[in-house]
Amino acid sequence: MSGSPFFLGRTYDDFLFRPQRGRVGSRRAVRLTGAFTRGIPLELPVVSANMDSVTESRMARAMALEGGLGVVHRAMSIEAQAREVERVKRSHGWVVEEPIAIPRGATLREAREVTRRHGVTGLLVEESRGSGRLAGLLSQRDLPWSAARDAEPVERFMTPFDRLVTAAPGTTLEEAERLLYEHRIEKLPLVDDAGVIRGLITKSDISLARERPDSTKDGKGRFRVAAAVGARGDFLERAEALRAAGVDALVVDIAHGHSDVMEHAVKALRKRFGDLELVCGNVGTAEGARFLVDLGASAVKVGIGPGRGCRTRLETAAGVPQLQAVHEVWEAVGDSVPIIADGGVRFDKDIFLALCCGASSVMLGSLLSGTDESPGTVILDPATGEKRKIYRGMTSPQAVFEALYDDAGTEEADTALETPAEGQEVQVAYQGALRDLIQRIRGHLRSAVSYGGESSLRSVRAKVLAEPEAFLIPLSAASRRESFER
Ligand code: XMP
C-alpha cells in the first residue's frame, strides 16, 4: 500500500497541531513563502482556482498583488482567455512594454471600446494604424461624459505629441518618478529618436511597485499569471495563444489527470512548447503523481473530489481524503516538484495543514468566490437581506451549459451536455474586497507558524514532514466537536 498509515482516511478536520514553544517576536516577521512551480516562488502560497466563478483577470491581478497567483479558467473562447491573461500581464510592472495605441483617425467610440476591452485608463495615439509613431495621448479625462461626440476622431480630444512629456527607452525608475512629479502628470510615454513608441510608464504602476514589494512578478516586473488548458480538442491552439499573451504557466487541468488523455496532452505540449511551465492535475495518489512527474510536469495538482462544488465522490465513489492525498503525493515525489493542494479548504487552518503536510501552495475556489474580484454579481436575498454570490463546480450543469452556449449543436457540446454532472452550484456569502480576506488568511497563517515554534512556514513544514506523529494530534469525534462546533 502507498502512503503512511497515519494519514490513511484523514483530512483537514482530523487533526489539531500540537503547540510548540513560540519563538517569534513579531508576527510580521514570519515568512510564508512557498512555490507554485519551481520557477514561480510565492510570498503567499495561495492560488485562486481556475473556475468561472473564481478567476478571471481581476482576481488574477489581485492575487498576484497579494503575493499569490491566479489561474484563469478556460470556459471561454481562446481569444477571450488570452485577453484575460494579457490584461494581467499589462497591468503591472512599472514599464508597460507594448502599450495599446489607436490611430489618430479612430473614433471616440472605438477608443471607449478599446479602453473597456483592455481595462486601461488611457490610450496612446499613433499617426496611423500599426505605424507605432506617437501622435498624442488620450486620457480618461479627455473623454467627454456624453456619447454625443462619439463619432468624432480621437485627434480632436488628445493631448498632441508636441505638448506631451516623453522619455527615452531605458529611463530609470527614479528618473521616471522625477519627471512624473515635476510635470504633475500620470503617464510618461517612452519614445525613441524616430518618435516610435517603446513603452509607457504610469504613476499608478510605479506606486504599486513601491508599495507592494511582495507581489508576484516576473523578471520584467509584470504580474505573474497562470491559465488553464484542457487535454483535448483545441488545447494546443489555446496554449499557443496563451503563451503569446505572456502566460507564466499553463495548468493542464482535467478531472482525472492519471490518464492516457493526460499523457498525450503533456507530450504534445512539451514537444511544441519546450520548457514552458506545465502544471498537471488532478491526481490523488502516489502512482498518479509519479506518472505526472515522469511526464515532465513542473508541478502536480492534487485533489480528487474534495471541492465544495464537487460531486465526484458522491456520484462515482472515486476520491482520496485530501490530507491523505497531499501527504501520499509528497511521500512519492518529495520536493522534486511543488505540490498544489486543490480543493476542500473551508477554514484558514486547512491551508496551514496542507502546507505542513507536503503542499507548496494551496488552491482555493469557494473561499474566494464571494469576493468583489470574482466574476459574477452580488445577489441580495430579499427575505434575509443577506448578500451572496454564486459559486459553481466547473462540471455543474449551469457552468457546462454556459461554456458551451456558443457551440450549441456541435458534437462536442452535445456530448458534454449528455454527460451527467459531477459538479453543483451553491450560493456563498458576499465577502467584500479580496485584500481583506487575504489579510485574514495571512494573519492566521502567521499565528499558526508561531504556534508551530518557528519563524517561517518552510521550517514548520520541514519539521512536520520529518515526523508527523510528533506534531499532529488525531481527533476523536468528541474532540472534533470540542474543537469545531461553535
Ligand atoms: P474548493 O473547495 O476550494 O475547491 O471550492 C475548488 C476546486 O474544486 C474542483 N472543481 C470540481 N471538482 N467537479 C469536481 O469534481 C466540478 O464540477 C468541479 N469544479 C471545480 C477544482 O479542482 C477546483 O480547483
Side-chain angles (χ1 to χ4, degrees):
M1 202 209 64
S2 297
S4 143
F6 185 64
F7 284 94
L8 191 63
R10 304 291 192 170
T11 192
Y12 298 126
D13 280 359
D14 287 320
F15 295 106
L16 284 178
F17 191 93
R18 188 181 182 85
Q20 306 297 304
R21 176 180 171 167
R23 299 186 189 280
V24 183
S26 143
R27 298 237 161 135
R28 282 188 147 266
V30 171
R31 298 296 308 275
L32 299 174
T33 48
F36 184 61
T37 62
R38 249 182 303 175
I40 305 184
L42 301 174
E43 286 296 325
L44 180 73
V46 174
V47 177
S48 68
N50 46 294
M51 301 176 71
D52 66 359
S53 51
V54 182
T55 311
E56 290 178 356
S57 55
R58 192 166 170 214
M59 174 66 79
R61 188 175 186 281
M63 288 298 294
L65 182 62
E66 295 300 332
L69 190 83
V71 186
V72 175
H73 72 88
R74 63 182 164 94
M76 57 179 123
S77 71
I78 292 177
E79 298 71 41
Q81 194 188 17
R83 205 159 50 229
E84 292 299 305
V85 167
E86 261 170 28
R87 278 186 170 185
V88 183
K89 295 306 292 182
R90 200 186 290 284
S91 59
H92 196 34
W94 57 277
V95 179
V96 184
E97 292 210 328
E98 289 176 24
I100 297 160
I102 51 164
R104 61 188 305 153
T107 60
L108 269 194
R109 185 173 302 112
E110 198 183 324
R112 285 192 210 275
E113 162 59 19
V114 172
T115 48
R116 195 189 51 74
R117 183 154 27 100
H118 293 279
V120 293
T121 56
L123 289 174
L124 294 183
V125 182
E126 56 183 350
E127 287 294 345
S128 57
R129 200 176 293 277
S131 70
R133 289 178 56 86
L134 186 63
L137 175 75
L138 185 76
S139 74
Q140 201 78 36
R141 275 171 303 191
D142 297 326
L143 294 171
W145 286 23
S146 102
R149 301 180 68 185
D150 269 13
E152 293 183 34
V154 155
E155 59 190 352
R156 289 204 192 135
F157 302 88
M158 69 185 189
T159 306
F161 181 59
D162 54 13
R163 293 211 332 255
L164 280 182
V165 181
T166 62
T171 298
T172 62
L173 183 61
E174 290 70 24
E175 176 65 4
E177 278 179 321
R178 192 185 62 73
L179 283 170
L180 289 168
Y181 179 70
E182 202 171 289
H183 298 277
R184 307 292 197 276
I185 50 172
E186 307 218 323
K187 294 193 164 62
L188 182 67
L190 303 180
V191 289
D192 63 17
D193 293 342
V196 174
I197 301 163
R198 295 290 176 215
L200 173 70
I201 295 177
T202 72
K203 188 179 164 208
S204 59
D205 283 344
I206 290 191
S207 304
L208 269 184
R210 288 264 188 238
E211 284 164 20
R212 309 300 301 271
D214 284 352
S215 57
T216 309
K217 287 176 279 185
D218 64 18
K220 292 178 177 167
R222 301 173 305 177
F223 278 143
R224 285 198 188 272
V225 59
V229 295
R232 289 182 210 263
D234 59 10
F235 75 102
L236 285 174
E237 287 89 311
R238 191 174 281 273
E240 181 67 64
L242 294 168
R243 192 177 63 141
V247 79
D248 293 279
L250 290 180
V251 178
V252 190
D253 183 53
I254 55 178
H256 188 17
H258 188 188
S259 60
D260 292 352
V261 188
M262 176 63 93
E263 180 169 0
H264 294 143
V266 176
K267 283 183 174 160
L269 285 162
R270 276 271 170 254
K271 192 164 157 210
R272 182 121 154 219
F273 303 112
D275 54 7
L276 188 65
E277 301 268 17
L278 275 189
V279 176
C280 300
N282 278 14
V283 294
T285 61
E287 308 84 70
R290 276 191 218 103
F291 167 81
L292 294 181
V293 171
D294 290 347
L295 281 176
S298 319
V300 172
K301 196 149 77 76
V302 175
I304 303 290
R308 168 123 189 245
C310 177
R311 297 185 60 83
T312 303
R313 294 180 187 175
L314 284 164
E315 317 295 8
T316 70
V320 183
Q322 183 66 350
L323 206 56
Q324 173 185 339
V326 168
H327 190 263
E328 179 175 321
V329 165
W330 180 82
E331 279 188 309
V333 303
D335 290 320
S336 62
V337 299
I339 294 165
I340 302 159
D342 174 21
V345 167
R346 292 178 304 131
F347 300 102
D348 298 348
K349 56 119 183 140
D350 302 343
I351 304 176
F352 177 67
L353 287 175
L355 293 165
C356 284
C357 294
S360 288
S361 73
V362 177
M363 182 174 260
L364 307 179
S366 65
L367 214 62
L368 304 179
S369 62
T371 60
D372 289 326
E373 286 77 0
S374 71
T377 45
V378 177
I379 308 161
L380 184 67
D381 184 329
T384 61
E386 284 168 8
K387 290 181 178 171
R388 309 222 183 90
K389 285 188 90 166
I390 296 282
Y391 167 77
R392 63 194 191 183
M394 288 307 293
T395 62
S396 64
Q398 297 89 338
V400 170
F401 182 75
E402 269 181 38
L404 295 171
Y405 190 74
D406 291 342
D407 303 325
T410 63
E411 196 186 328
E412 197 182 342
D414 288 345
T415 318
L417 287 169
E418 277 164 18
T419 311
E422 285 179 27
Q424 65 185 41
E425 179 174 297
V426 293
Q427 291 190 357
V428 295
Y430 169 64
Q431 294 277 340
L434 177 83
R435 186 171 185 185
D436 296 337
L437 184 74
I438 293 288
Q439 235 156 17
R440 184 197 79 193
I441 292 175
R442 199 185 279 118
H444 288 159
L445 284 177
R446 285 185 166 144
S447 287
V449 169
S450 158
Y451 279 112
E454 298 290 335
S455 57
S456 78
L457 192 54
R458 269 182 207 277
S459 8
V460 182
R461 181 179 184 272
K463 213 158 73 169
V464 175
L465 285 171
E467 208 184 348
E469 289 89 337
F471 296 95
L472 298 177
I473 306 168
L475 301 184
S476 67
S479 49
R480 210 169 291 134
R481 266 200 307 281
E482 179 189 86
S483 306
F484 307 131
E485 283 183 15
R486 291 289 179 269

